[in-house]
Amino acid sequence: MQTLELIGRAIYLMLPAYMANMSAVVTGKGGKPIDKGKEWRGKLIFGRGKTWRGLVGGSIAGWIVGIIMVAIHSPFGELPQALLPPFMLSFGALLGDLGGSFIKRRIGIERGKPAPILDQLDFVAGSLVLTLLVCHDWFTEAVTVDLLAAILILTPILHFLANYSAYKLKLKDVPW
Ligand code: CTP
Ligand code: MG
């Protein structure tokens, strides 16, 4: 596969996950924290940055993007089965992001403070692992090794660019 085509395919496939992650920032604003302020071993379980509205709103937003993709040029196969991978990619991204925050709190990194690598890859890992588990047949056929490598290399770069832009546009207080 040509490099440029591979880059395009990787980004296109992960659009539901990227959309989920980005829209949680918007839908989660002012929402109730998932951990209800509860602590575990003296630290918040997930922290104020993980809300139900972010989780649910982000999952739906990412899924909608996936459904639009199915209508335009489906990388997820045919309907109705094609509806499942984009939902798992989207929901899995936010579960991974939640897991990332759980780890950050455990190692003492406060909400909103950067955790390099973890911040950039927790959501891709959650997205891909959940989709692999639930949509095993689709995943093993669609996500080839070179595509997986492209996703893992490109995502941190895109994550950085998206967050830096959001910071410059004053949508976020910090550039990570
Ligand atoms: N967000 C949310 N619910 C989620 C995920 C994200 O409400 N499940 C919103 C929160 O307002 C959060 C913002 O999106 O502050 C940015 O997300 P993220 O960078 O993942 O959270 P942080 O605030 O940086 O917290 P953490 O240190 O736990 O990553
Ligand atoms: Mg953050």
Side-chain angles (χ1 to χ4, degrees):
M1 217 187 290
Q2 296 283 304
T3 311
L4 218 54
E5 191 195 336
L6 191 62
I7 291 172
R9 276 177 188 270
I11 296 172
Y12 189 57
L13 196 82
M14 292 307 281
L15 279 183
Y18 297 154
M19 188 61 188
N21 212 37
M22 289 193 292
S23 46
V25 179
V26 180
T27 66
K29 249 198 170 62
K32 288 199 181 74
I34 294 169
D35 65 13
K36 300 197 185 95
K38 279 201 198 101
E39 297 187 347
W40 189 54
R41 299 189 173 183
K43 304 259 187 230
L44 289 169
I45 303 174
F46 303 117
R48 272 302 277 122
K50 301 296 113 135
T51 68
W52 285 112
R53 280 180 26 190
L55 181 68
V56 176
S59 297
I60 293 172
W63 195 23
I64 290 172
V65 166
I67 292 168
I68 295 170
M69 289 165 67
V70 171
I72 299 170
H73 180 83
S74 177
F76 308 120
E78 310 244 327
L79 287 169
Q81 300 95 298
L83 292 175
L84 200 57
F87 181 75
M88 293 306 155
L89 286 170
S90 176
F91 181 52
L94 291 171
L95 286 186
D97 172 66
L98 197 59
S101 292
F102 181 79
I103 295 170
K104 282 171 80 173
R105 300 304 90 79
R106 303 287 74 71
I107 58 180
I109 300 173
E110 274 171 50
R111 178 253 171 121
K113 292 279 182 296
I117 305 174
L118 194 60
D119 279 337
Q120 288 78 34
L121 288 175
D122 56 5
F123 78 97
V124 211
S127 180
L128 295 174
V129 170
L130 184 72
T131 311
L132 169 67
L133 293 176
V134 180
C135 313
H136 185 268
D137 292 350
W138 171 78
F139 191 98
T140 47
E141 202 187 306
V143 186
T144 50
V145 174
D146 52 351
L147 197 59
L148 187 66
I151 290 168
L152 295 177
I153 293 167
L154 287 167
T155 303
I157 300 169
L158 292 172
H159 188 272
F160 171 78
L161 291 175
N163 283 292
Y164 193 72
S165 311
Y167 169 69
K168 281 285 171 199
L169 293 167
K170 300 196 190 311
L171 293 171
K172 287 193 73 168
D173 301 332
V174 288
W176 51 76

